[in-house]
Amino acid sequence: MSRKLVVVGQGYVGLPMALRAAEKGFAVVGLDTNASVVEALNAGTSHIDDVSDDELKAGLAAGYAASTDAVEIADADVVVVCVPTPLSSDGGPDLGPVEGAARAIGEHVQRGALVILESTTYPGTTEEVFAPLILRDGMQAGRDVNIAFSPERIDPGNEQFGVRNTPKVVGGLTSACTKAASEFYREFIDTVVEAKGAKEAEMAKLLENTFRHVNIALVNEMVRFSHELDIDLWDAIDCAATKPFGYMAFRPGPGVGGHCIPVDPSYLSHRVKAQLGYAFRMVELAEEINTAAPLYVANRVWQALNERRIAANGAKVLLLGVTYKANISDRRESPADPLAKRLLEWGAEVSYHDPYVSNWHVEGTDVELTGETDVDAAVNGADIVVLLQAHSAFDLDALASAAKSFLDTRGVVKSPEVIRL
Ligand SMILES: NC(=O)c1ccc[n+]([C@@H]2O[C@H](COP(=O)([O-])OP(=O)(O)OC[C@H]3O[C@@H](n4cnc5c(N)ncnc54)[C@H](O)[C@@H]3O)[C@@H](O)[C@H]2O)c1
Protein backbone atom coordinates (compact mmCIF):
# COMPACT_ATOMS: atom_id res chain seq x y z
CA MET A 1 0.00 0.00 0.00
CA SER A 2 1.35 3.45 -0.88
CA ARG A 3 2.31 5.76 1.96
CA LYS A 4 0.16 8.76 2.69
CA LEU A 5 1.46 12.32 2.53
CA VAL A 6 -0.58 15.33 3.61
CA VAL A 7 0.65 18.71 2.35
CA VAL A 8 -0.87 21.55 4.38
CA GLY A 9 -1.26 24.72 2.27
CA GLN A 10 -1.85 24.35 -1.46
CA GLY A 11 -0.27 27.54 -2.77
CA TYR A 12 2.83 28.33 -4.84
CA VAL A 13 4.94 26.00 -2.69
CA GLY A 14 2.56 23.27 -1.49
CA LEU A 15 0.87 22.36 -4.74
CA PRO A 16 4.00 21.65 -6.86
CA MET A 17 5.51 19.54 -4.06
CA ALA A 18 2.25 17.61 -3.55
CA LEU A 19 2.08 16.76 -7.26
CA ARG A 20 5.74 15.76 -7.42
CA ALA A 21 5.19 13.32 -4.52
CA ALA A 22 2.01 11.92 -6.15
CA GLU A 23 4.01 11.31 -9.31
CA LYS A 24 6.47 9.32 -7.15
CA GLY A 25 3.77 7.01 -5.78
CA PHE A 26 2.62 8.68 -2.56
CA ALA A 27 -1.12 8.90 -1.86
CA VAL A 28 -1.23 12.68 -1.45
CA VAL A 29 -3.88 14.87 0.14
CA GLY A 30 -3.45 18.61 -0.32
CA LEU A 31 -5.03 20.26 2.68
CA ASP A 32 -6.12 23.90 2.49
CA THR A 33 -8.45 26.06 4.56
CA ASN A 34 -9.63 27.85 1.40
CA ALA A 35 -12.65 25.82 0.22
CA SER A 36 -12.81 27.42 -3.22
CA VAL A 37 -9.13 26.58 -3.88
CA VAL A 38 -9.82 22.97 -2.84
CA GLU A 39 -12.90 22.74 -5.05
CA ALA A 40 -11.05 24.15 -8.06
CA LEU A 41 -8.07 21.81 -7.55
CA ASN A 42 -10.31 18.74 -7.37
CA ALA A 43 -11.99 19.94 -10.59
CA GLY A 44 -8.57 20.11 -12.29
CA THR A 45 -8.17 23.91 -12.32
CA SER A 46 -4.81 25.19 -11.09
CA HIS A 47 -4.38 28.64 -9.53
CA ILE A 48 -0.57 28.49 -9.64
CA ASP A 49 1.54 29.75 -12.58
CA ASP A 50 4.04 26.89 -12.44
CA VAL A 51 1.34 24.16 -12.46
CA SER A 52 -0.72 23.70 -15.63
CA ASP A 53 -4.22 22.22 -15.55
CA ASP A 54 -2.85 19.19 -17.41
CA GLU A 55 -0.17 18.61 -14.75
CA LEU A 56 -2.81 18.91 -12.05
CA LYS A 57 -5.09 16.44 -13.84
CA ALA A 58 -2.17 14.00 -14.16
CA GLY A 59 -1.65 14.40 -10.39
CA LEU A 60 -5.34 13.74 -9.69
CA ALA A 61 -5.08 10.57 -11.77
CA ALA A 62 -1.88 9.54 -9.92
CA GLY A 63 -3.42 9.71 -6.43
CA TYR A 64 -3.58 13.39 -5.50
CA ALA A 65 -6.74 14.93 -3.99
CA ALA A 66 -7.39 18.24 -2.25
CA SER A 67 -9.39 18.58 0.97
CA THR A 68 -10.35 21.04 3.72
CA ASP A 69 -10.72 18.24 6.29
CA ALA A 70 -7.84 18.05 8.80
CA VAL A 71 -8.92 14.53 9.76
CA GLU A 72 -6.89 13.45 6.69
CA ILE A 73 -3.82 13.91 8.93
CA ALA A 74 -4.92 11.06 11.22
CA ASP A 75 -3.53 8.25 9.02
CA ALA A 76 -0.75 10.24 7.32
CA ASP A 77 2.79 8.89 7.36
CA VAL A 78 4.21 12.29 6.48
CA VAL A 79 2.80 15.82 6.91
CA VAL A 80 4.49 18.78 5.21
CA VAL A 81 3.44 22.33 6.07
CA CYS A 82 3.63 25.05 3.39
CA VAL A 83 1.34 27.77 4.77
CA PRO A 84 2.04 31.51 4.42
CA THR A 85 4.28 33.42 6.85
CA PRO A 86 3.24 37.05 6.36
CA LEU A 87 4.02 40.13 8.44
CA SER A 88 1.60 41.37 11.07
CA SER A 89 0.29 44.95 11.07
CA ASP A 90 3.22 46.06 13.28
CA GLY A 91 5.77 44.61 10.82
CA GLY A 92 6.63 41.56 12.97
CA PRO A 93 6.13 37.87 12.10
CA ASP A 94 2.54 36.63 11.81
CA LEU A 95 2.78 32.95 12.67
CA GLY A 96 -1.02 32.53 12.77
CA PRO A 97 -1.19 30.16 9.76
CA VAL A 98 1.79 28.09 11.04
CA GLU A 99 0.20 27.81 14.48
CA GLY A 100 -3.18 26.93 12.92
CA ALA A 101 -1.59 24.15 10.89
CA ALA A 102 0.39 22.89 13.91
CA ARG A 103 -2.76 22.75 16.06
CA ALA A 104 -4.58 20.73 13.41
CA ILE A 105 -1.62 18.34 13.22
CA GLY A 106 -1.43 18.10 17.02
CA GLU A 107 -5.06 17.11 17.14
CA HIS A 108 -4.78 14.30 14.61
CA VAL A 109 -1.18 13.16 14.09
CA GLN A 110 -0.43 9.48 14.65
CA ARG A 111 2.62 8.12 16.45
CA GLY A 112 5.44 7.30 14.05
CA ALA A 113 4.60 10.11 11.64
CA LEU A 114 7.09 12.58 10.19
CA VAL A 115 6.09 16.28 10.28
CA ILE A 116 8.06 18.89 8.33
CA LEU A 117 7.68 22.68 8.34
CA GLU A 118 8.65 24.30 5.01
CA SER A 119 7.26 27.82 5.55
CA THR A 120 10.00 30.44 5.77
CA THR A 121 10.41 31.64 9.34
CA TYR A 122 12.89 32.83 11.98
CA PRO A 123 15.36 30.40 13.60
CA GLY A 124 13.75 28.71 16.59
CA THR A 125 10.19 28.53 15.23
CA THR A 126 10.17 24.76 14.66
CA GLU A 127 11.41 24.01 18.16
CA GLU A 128 9.69 26.77 20.15
CA VAL A 129 6.38 27.35 18.34
CA PHE A 130 5.63 24.50 15.93
CA ALA A 131 6.64 21.36 17.87
CA PRO A 132 4.94 22.21 21.21
CA LEU A 133 1.58 22.49 19.42
CA ILE A 134 2.09 19.10 17.77
CA LEU A 135 3.44 16.97 20.61
CA ARG A 136 0.51 15.89 22.78
CA ASP A 137 0.06 13.32 25.56
CA GLY A 138 3.75 13.21 26.49
CA MET A 139 4.91 12.65 22.92
CA GLN A 140 8.59 13.33 22.25
CA ALA A 141 10.25 14.52 19.05
CA GLY A 142 12.50 11.86 17.57
CA ARG A 143 10.80 9.11 19.55
CA ASP A 144 7.04 9.36 18.89
CA VAL A 145 6.91 11.90 16.06
CA ASN A 146 9.79 13.10 13.89
CA ILE A 147 9.77 16.88 13.42
CA ALA A 148 12.02 18.81 11.05
CA PHE A 149 12.37 22.06 9.16
CA SER A 150 13.19 22.14 5.44
CA PRO A 151 13.21 25.50 3.68
CA GLU A 152 11.30 25.83 0.45
CA ARG A 153 13.43 27.22 -2.38
CA ILE A 154 10.92 27.31 -5.20
CA ASP A 155 11.62 30.01 -7.81
CA PRO A 156 8.33 30.73 -9.64
CA GLY A 157 8.78 30.88 -13.41
CA ASN A 158 12.21 29.19 -13.32
CA GLU A 159 12.22 26.59 -16.08
CA GLN A 160 15.63 25.16 -15.18
CA PHE A 161 15.23 24.49 -11.45
CA GLY A 162 12.09 22.93 -9.95
CA VAL A 163 11.21 20.68 -7.02
CA ARG A 164 13.28 17.71 -8.25
CA ASN A 165 16.63 19.34 -9.07
CA THR A 166 16.86 22.10 -6.45
CA PRO A 167 18.92 20.73 -3.51
CA LYS A 168 16.83 20.43 -0.34
CA VAL A 169 18.22 21.37 3.09
CA VAL A 170 16.78 19.51 6.10
CA GLY A 171 17.33 19.98 9.82
CA GLY A 172 15.47 18.02 12.50
CA LEU A 173 14.89 18.56 16.19
CA THR A 174 16.96 15.41 16.82
CA SER A 175 19.31 13.44 14.59
CA ALA A 176 16.56 10.81 14.16
CA CYS A 177 14.24 13.57 12.91
CA THR A 178 16.88 14.81 10.43
CA LYS A 179 17.44 11.27 9.16
CA ALA A 180 13.70 10.63 8.69
CA ALA A 181 13.17 13.92 6.81
CA SER A 182 16.24 13.35 4.69
CA GLU A 183 15.09 9.84 3.70
CA PHE A 184 11.65 11.17 2.79
CA TYR A 185 12.93 13.89 0.46
CA ARG A 186 15.51 11.58 -1.14
CA GLU A 187 12.59 9.68 -2.65
CA PHE A 188 11.75 12.50 -5.03
CA ILE A 189 14.48 15.13 -4.83
CA ASP A 190 17.91 14.59 -6.41
CA THR A 191 20.08 16.18 -3.68
CA VAL A 192 19.32 16.42 0.04
CA VAL A 193 21.66 18.35 2.37
CA GLU A 194 21.53 17.66 6.11
CA ALA A 195 21.90 20.72 8.36
CA LYS A 196 23.20 20.48 11.91
CA GLY A 197 19.65 21.04 13.21
CA ALA A 198 16.36 22.84 12.61
CA LYS A 199 17.74 26.28 13.57
CA GLU A 200 20.55 26.03 11.03
CA ALA A 201 18.09 25.00 8.29
CA GLU A 202 15.83 27.93 9.23
CA MET A 203 18.79 30.31 9.18
CA ALA A 204 20.02 29.00 5.80
CA LYS A 205 16.81 30.12 4.12
CA LEU A 206 16.90 33.56 5.72
CA LEU A 207 20.56 33.96 4.78
CA GLU A 208 19.70 33.23 1.13
CA ASN A 209 16.89 35.79 1.06
CA THR A 210 18.78 38.42 3.05
CA PHE A 211 21.74 38.02 0.66
CA ARG A 212 19.46 38.87 -2.28
CA HIS A 213 17.79 41.73 -0.47
CA VAL A 214 21.10 43.35 0.51
CA ASN A 215 22.69 42.91 -2.93
CA ILE A 216 19.65 44.31 -4.73
CA ALA A 217 19.73 47.27 -2.33
CA LEU A 218 23.42 47.79 -3.13
CA VAL A 219 22.76 48.27 -6.86
CA ASN A 220 19.51 50.18 -6.22
CA GLU A 221 21.53 52.69 -4.22
CA MET A 222 24.35 52.76 -6.78
CA VAL A 223 21.95 53.39 -9.68
CA ARG A 224 20.93 56.73 -8.18
CA PHE A 225 24.36 58.28 -8.04
CA SER A 226 25.43 56.55 -11.27
CA HIS A 227 22.62 58.44 -12.99
CA GLU A 228 23.81 61.73 -11.48
CA LEU A 229 27.38 60.94 -12.53
CA ASP A 230 26.24 59.93 -16.05
CA ILE A 231 27.53 56.36 -15.66
CA ASP A 232 25.62 53.41 -17.18
CA LEU A 233 25.53 51.08 -14.15
CA TRP A 234 24.19 48.17 -16.23
CA ASP A 235 27.26 48.35 -18.44
CA ALA A 236 29.50 48.46 -15.36
CA ILE A 237 27.69 45.40 -13.94
CA ASP A 238 28.12 43.50 -17.22
CA CYS A 239 31.84 44.27 -17.10
CA ALA A 240 32.16 43.25 -13.43
CA ALA A 241 30.31 40.02 -14.19
CA THR A 242 33.10 38.91 -16.53
CA LYS A 243 35.24 38.24 -13.42
CA PRO A 244 35.12 34.46 -13.12
CA PHE A 245 35.34 34.42 -9.31
CA GLY A 246 34.28 36.47 -6.30
CA TYR A 247 31.44 38.42 -7.93
CA MET A 248 27.76 37.73 -8.53
CA ALA A 249 25.71 40.13 -10.67
CA PHE A 250 22.58 41.78 -9.27
CA ARG A 251 20.78 44.44 -11.30
CA PRO A 252 18.82 47.51 -10.27
CA GLY A 253 15.07 47.74 -10.71
CA PRO A 254 11.90 49.41 -9.49
CA GLY A 255 12.04 47.68 -6.07
CA VAL A 256 11.61 44.22 -4.61
CA GLY A 257 8.37 42.23 -4.49
CA GLY A 258 6.89 38.80 -3.93
CA HIS A 259 6.24 36.79 -0.82
CA CYS A 260 9.91 36.34 0.09
CA ILE A 261 12.45 39.15 -0.33
CA PRO A 262 10.43 42.03 1.16
CA VAL A 263 9.07 39.85 3.99
CA ASP A 264 11.47 37.12 5.14
CA PRO A 265 14.50 39.20 6.22
CA SER A 266 12.13 41.07 8.57
CA TYR A 267 11.51 37.77 10.35
CA LEU A 268 15.23 37.60 11.09
CA SER A 269 15.69 41.24 12.12
CA HIS A 270 12.61 40.95 14.36
CA ARG A 271 14.07 37.86 16.02
CA VAL A 272 17.43 39.54 16.62
CA LYS A 273 15.75 42.63 18.07
CA ALA A 274 13.26 40.68 20.23
CA GLN A 275 15.77 38.19 21.60
CA LEU A 276 18.99 40.18 21.73
CA GLY A 277 17.80 43.79 21.79
CA TYR A 278 19.88 45.12 18.91
CA ALA A 279 19.31 45.85 15.24
CA PHE A 280 20.25 43.76 12.21
CA ARG A 281 21.50 46.85 10.42
CA MET A 282 22.18 45.40 6.95
CA VAL A 283 18.56 44.26 6.63
CA GLU A 284 17.16 47.53 7.92
CA LEU A 285 19.26 49.50 5.44
CA ALA A 286 18.32 47.18 2.56
CA GLU A 287 14.65 47.62 3.48
CA GLU A 288 15.00 51.38 3.54
CA ILE A 289 16.67 51.48 0.10
CA ASN A 290 14.46 48.91 -1.61
CA THR A 291 11.25 50.42 -0.20
CA ALA A 292 12.30 53.80 -1.58
CA ALA A 293 13.07 52.37 -5.06
CA PRO A 294 9.52 52.73 -6.52
CA LEU A 295 9.37 56.30 -5.26
CA TYR A 296 12.70 57.01 -6.95
CA VAL A 297 11.14 55.68 -10.19
CA ALA A 298 8.23 58.11 -9.67
CA ASN A 299 10.72 60.96 -9.33
CA ARG A 300 12.41 59.91 -12.56
CA VAL A 301 9.01 59.87 -14.32
CA TRP A 302 8.40 63.38 -12.99
CA GLN A 303 11.86 64.48 -14.21
CA ALA A 304 11.35 63.02 -17.70
CA LEU A 305 7.97 64.74 -18.02
CA ASN A 306 9.37 67.99 -16.67
CA GLU A 307 12.07 68.05 -19.34
CA ARG A 308 9.29 68.00 -21.93
CA ARG A 309 7.35 70.74 -20.05
CA ILE A 310 4.60 68.33 -19.07
CA ALA A 311 3.17 68.45 -15.56
CA ALA A 312 2.80 65.14 -13.71
CA ASN A 313 -0.72 66.31 -12.87
CA GLY A 314 -2.81 65.11 -15.82
CA ALA A 315 0.07 63.31 -17.58
CA LYS A 316 -0.78 59.95 -19.16
CA VAL A 317 1.58 57.35 -17.68
CA LEU A 318 1.49 53.77 -19.01
CA LEU A 319 3.10 51.09 -16.82
CA LEU A 320 4.34 47.98 -18.65
CA GLY A 321 4.34 44.83 -16.48
CA VAL A 322 2.91 45.16 -12.96
CA THR A 323 3.74 41.74 -11.47
CA TYR A 324 6.62 41.36 -9.00
CA LYS A 325 8.78 39.44 -11.45
CA ALA A 326 8.82 38.71 -15.17
CA ASN A 327 6.71 36.02 -16.83
CA ILE A 328 4.48 35.20 -13.88
CA SER A 329 1.12 36.57 -12.70
CA ASP A 330 1.95 36.95 -8.97
CA ARG A 331 1.42 40.55 -7.88
CA ARG A 332 2.16 40.18 -4.16
CA GLU A 333 4.16 43.14 -2.78
CA SER A 334 4.77 44.36 -6.34
CA PRO A 335 6.66 47.69 -6.48
CA ALA A 336 4.16 48.74 -9.18
CA ASP A 337 1.70 49.53 -6.36
CA PRO A 338 3.66 52.19 -4.43
CA LEU A 339 4.78 53.67 -7.77
CA ALA A 340 1.21 53.92 -9.12
CA LYS A 341 0.00 55.27 -5.77
CA ARG A 342 2.56 58.10 -5.87
CA LEU A 343 1.75 58.92 -9.54
CA LEU A 344 -1.99 58.96 -8.76
CA GLU A 345 -1.36 61.28 -5.80
CA TRP A 346 0.34 63.66 -8.21
CA GLY A 347 -2.77 63.60 -10.42
CA ALA A 348 -1.30 61.49 -13.23
CA GLU A 349 -3.62 59.37 -15.38
CA VAL A 350 -2.15 55.92 -14.74
CA SER A 351 -2.88 52.97 -17.02
CA TYR A 352 -1.09 49.66 -17.51
CA HIS A 353 -0.57 46.75 -19.86
CA ASP A 354 0.32 43.29 -18.60
CA PRO A 355 -0.52 40.02 -20.36
CA TYR A 356 -0.70 38.30 -16.95
CA VAL A 357 -2.97 40.79 -15.15
CA SER A 358 -6.45 41.69 -16.43
CA ASN A 359 -7.55 43.82 -13.45
CA TRP A 360 -5.52 45.65 -10.89
CA HIS A 361 -6.62 47.15 -7.60
CA VAL A 362 -3.82 49.56 -6.80
CA GLU A 363 -2.90 48.76 -3.21
CA GLY A 364 -3.22 51.68 -0.83
CA THR A 365 -5.81 53.42 -3.06
CA ASP A 366 -9.39 52.79 -4.12
CA VAL A 367 -8.35 52.74 -7.77
CA GLU A 368 -9.40 49.77 -9.91
CA LEU A 369 -7.68 49.57 -13.28
CA THR A 370 -8.42 47.34 -16.24
CA GLY A 371 -5.38 46.39 -18.31
CA GLU A 372 -4.99 47.94 -21.77
CA THR A 373 -5.40 45.15 -24.29
CA ASP A 374 -4.27 47.13 -27.35
CA VAL A 375 -0.70 47.80 -26.23
CA ASP A 376 0.26 49.73 -29.40
CA ALA A 377 -2.63 52.19 -28.98
CA ALA A 378 -1.86 52.51 -25.25
CA VAL A 379 1.82 53.27 -25.97
CA ASN A 380 0.87 55.83 -28.65
CA GLY A 381 -1.55 57.59 -26.29
CA ALA A 382 0.85 57.83 -23.32
CA ASP A 383 3.03 60.81 -22.44
CA ILE A 384 5.48 58.37 -20.92
CA VAL A 385 5.81 54.57 -20.81
CA VAL A 386 7.52 52.97 -17.81
CA LEU A 387 8.87 49.45 -18.15
CA LEU A 388 8.65 47.69 -14.78
CA GLN A 389 8.69 43.99 -15.73
CA ALA A 390 10.25 42.82 -18.99
CA HIS A 391 7.84 39.94 -19.71
CA SER A 392 9.20 37.99 -22.68
CA ALA A 393 5.88 38.57 -24.50
CA PHE A 394 6.80 42.26 -24.93
CA ASP A 395 8.39 43.45 -28.18
CA LEU A 396 10.35 46.03 -26.23
CA ASP A 397 12.35 47.62 -29.04
CA ALA A 398 9.16 48.26 -31.06
CA LEU A 399 7.26 49.58 -28.03
CA ALA A 400 10.17 51.81 -27.01
CA SER A 401 10.53 53.33 -30.47
CA ALA A 402 6.76 54.02 -30.70
CA ALA A 403 6.67 55.75 -27.28
CA LYS A 404 6.96 59.53 -26.86
CA SER A 405 9.16 58.85 -23.85
CA PHE A 406 10.23 55.46 -22.44
CA LEU A 407 11.73 54.89 -18.98
CA ASP A 408 13.41 51.50 -18.73
CA THR A 409 13.78 50.47 -15.07
CA ARG A 410 15.33 47.11 -16.03
CA GLY A 411 18.14 48.26 -18.31
CA VAL A 412 17.08 45.86 -21.07
CA VAL A 413 16.21 48.13 -24.02
CA LYS A 414 19.25 49.05 -26.09
CA SER A 415 17.96 52.11 -28.01
CA PRO A 416 19.83 55.33 -27.06
CA GLU A 417 16.48 57.18 -27.08
CA VAL A 418 15.35 55.22 -24.04
CA ILE A 419 15.84 56.70 -20.56
CA ARG A 420 17.50 54.23 -18.20
CA LEU A 421 16.85 54.38 -14.49
N1 LIG B 1 6.02 31.60 -3.33
C1 LIG B 1 7.32 31.45 -3.32
O1 LIG B 1 7.98 31.72 -4.29
C2 LIG B 1 8.07 30.93 -2.09
C3 LIG B 1 9.40 30.52 -2.25
C4 LIG B 1 10.08 30.03 -1.15
C5 LIG B 1 9.44 29.95 0.09
N2 LIG B 1 8.15 30.37 0.23
C6 LIG B 1 7.55 30.24 1.56
O2 LIG B 1 6.62 29.15 1.56
C7 LIG B 1 5.50 29.44 2.39
C8 LIG B 1 4.20 29.31 1.60
O3 LIG B 1 4.20 30.30 0.56
P1 LIG B 1 3.25 30.23 -0.70
O4 LIG B 1 3.79 31.23 -1.67
O5 LIG B 1 3.06 28.82 -1.14
O6 LIG B 1 1.88 30.77 -0.06
P2 LIG B 1 0.43 30.82 -0.76
O7 LIG B 1 -0.26 31.98 -0.16
O8 LIG B 1 0.58 30.71 -2.25
O9 LIG B 1 -0.27 29.48 -0.30
C9 LIG B 1 -0.54 29.17 1.01
C10 LIG B 1 -1.82 28.36 1.10
O10 LIG B 1 -1.97 27.98 2.45
C11 LIG B 1 -3.34 28.04 2.80
N3 LIG B 1 -3.45 28.12 4.26
C12 LIG B 1 -3.27 29.18 5.08
N4 LIG B 1 -3.39 28.82 6.36
C13 LIG B 1 -3.66 27.48 6.37
C14 LIG B 1 -3.88 26.52 7.38
N5 LIG B 1 -3.80 26.86 8.68
N6 LIG B 1 -4.15 25.27 7.01
C15 LIG B 1 -4.20 24.91 5.71
N7 LIG B 1 -3.99 25.78 4.70
C16 LIG B 1 -3.71 27.04 5.03
C17 LIG B 1 -3.87 29.24 2.05
O11 LIG B 1 -5.26 29.17 1.85
C18 LIG B 1 -3.08 29.15 0.72
O12 LIG B 1 -3.79 28.44 -0.28
C19 LIG B 1 5.76 30.84 2.96
O13 LIG B 1 6.36 30.72 4.20
C20 LIG B 1 6.73 31.43 1.97
O14 LIG B 1 7.54 32.43 2.56
C21 LIG B 1 7.44 30.84 -0.85
Side-chain angles (χ1 to χ4, degrees):
M1 204 178 75
S2 58
R3 276 162 313 142
K4 181 171 177 181
L5 165 68
V6 171
V7 182
V8 188
Q10 289 296 278
Y12 285 84
V13 170
L15 182 60
M17 100 89 67
L19 296 178
R20 172 84 186 133
E23 201 183 289
K24 282 288 165 181
F26 280 88
V28 183
V29 174
L31 210 60
D32 205 292
T33 43
N34 186 330
S36 53
V37 163
V38 165
E39 199 180 320
L41 289 173
N42 283 330
T45 308
S46 166
H47 59 302
I48 300 299
D49 285 323
D50 286 349
V51 175
S52 68
D53 288 353
D54 285 344
E55 283 165 323
L56 173 59
K57 282 174 190 150
L60 287 162
Y64 167 81
S67 173
T68 55
D69 192 351
V71 95
E72 292 286 354
I73 294 167
D75 59 347
D77 300 289
V78 184
V79 184
V80 177
V81 176
C82 312
V83 297
T85 39
L87 295 178
S88 59
S89 51
D90 65 357
D94 173 4
L95 287 179
V98 169
E99 289 166 350
R103 275 191 202 96
I105 296 167
E107 205 175 312
H108 299 288
V109 74
Q110 62 174 344
R111 282 175 198 268
L114 164 67
V115 181
I116 305 170
L117 178 62
E118 286 205 359
S119 302
T120 307
T121 183
Y122 60 78
T125 307
T126 308
E127 186 172 356
E128 296 161 25
V129 180
F130 190 64
L133 294 170
I134 292 171
L135 299 168
R136 59 165 200 268
D137 307 332
M139 283 178 170
Q140 269 184 32
R143 188 191 68 188
D144 306 297
V145 178
N146 286 314
I147 301 180
F149 181 81
S150 178
E152 180 46 57
R153 285 171 156 171
I154 209 154
D155 182 19
N158 191 327
E159 288 176 7
Q160 193 184 355
F161 292 105
V163 175
R164 181 187 57 77
N165 61 353
T166 305
K168 196 93 173 94
V169 172
V170 296
L173 292 188
T174 67
S175 53
C177 298
T178 304
K179 188 165 172 283
S182 172
E183 278 169 7
F184 163 66
Y185 284 121
R186 281 208 172 90
E187 295 189 46
F188 56 100
I189 292 176
D190 295 348
T191 309
V192 177
V193 181
E194 292 187 9
K196 199 167 169 185
K199 278 190 290 196
E200 285 72 19
E202 290 164 329
M203 184 66 113
K205 171 69 185 181
L206 292 181
L207 172 60
E208 291 163 19
N209 283 355
T210 305
F211 172 82
R212 283 188 62 73
H213 201 15
V214 167
N215 279 287
I216 293 168
L218 174 69
V219 287
N220 276 343
E221 184 170 38
M222 287 182 76
V223 80
R224 291 178 173 221
F225 61 74
S226 298
H227 169 66
E228 307 258 332
L229 296 171
D230 195 23
I231 297 166
D232 184 335
L233 183 62
W234 277 273
D235 190 53
I237 292 170
D238 288 345
C239 293
T242 60
K243 189 180 177 193
F245 47 85
Y247 180 78
M248 183 182 279
F250 285 82
R251 292 182 172 77
V256 290
H259 189 14
C260 295
I261 307 295
V263 176
D264 302 345
S266 303
Y267 266 66
L268 190 51
S269 53
H270 186 276
R271 178 65 163 175
V272 173
K273 192 61 146 283
Q275 202 172 341
L276 303 171
Y278 51 81
F280 183 3
R281 289 174 298 160
M282 296 288 266
V283 162
E284 292 185 358
L285 189 58
E287 262 159 18
E288 188 183 314
I289 294 168
N290 287 333
T291 306
L295 307 180
Y296 175 65
V297 175
N299 288 345
R300 294 291 304 278
V301 170
W302 177 88
Q303 193 184 357
L305 290 168
N306 189 54
E307 277 165 15
R308 290 168 50 225
R309 297 169 180 257
I310 299 172
N313 193 342
K316 294 187 172 66
V317 183
L318 175 73
L319 306 180
L320 277 185
V322 297
T323 56
Y324 89 82
K325 72 186 276 194
N327 302 321
I328 63 166
S329 65
D330 194 345
R331 285 209 1 81
R332 291 180 290 180
E333 313 287 334
S334 170
D337 287 78
L339 168 63
K341 183 168 180 272
R342 175 58 54 91
L343 295 170
L344 289 162
E345 282 163 1
W346 287 344
E349 284 181 35
V350 177
S351 60
Y352 80 97
H353 169 75
D354 191 315
Y356 294 92
V357 182
S358 50
N359 293 295
W360 175 22
H361 170 83
V362 180
E363 207 179 302
T365 73
D366 53 10
V367 177
E368 301 281 346
L369 297 174
T370 303
E372 304 286 339
T373 43
D374 184 344
V375 64
D376 297 320
V379 166
N380 282 328
D383 293 310
I384 186 165
V385 177
V386 187
L387 175 68
L388 297 177
Q389 286 308 342
H391 294 313
S392 39
F394 292 150
D395 183 350
L396 288 174
D397 290 327
L399 294 175
S401 63
K404 294 185 188 76
S405 180
F406 193 99
L407 173 62
D408 173 8
T409 70
R410 294 285 169 186
V412 288
V413 187
K414 297 284 173 256
S415 159
E417 307 300 313
V418 157
I419 307 163
R420 276 194 174 181
L421 198 59

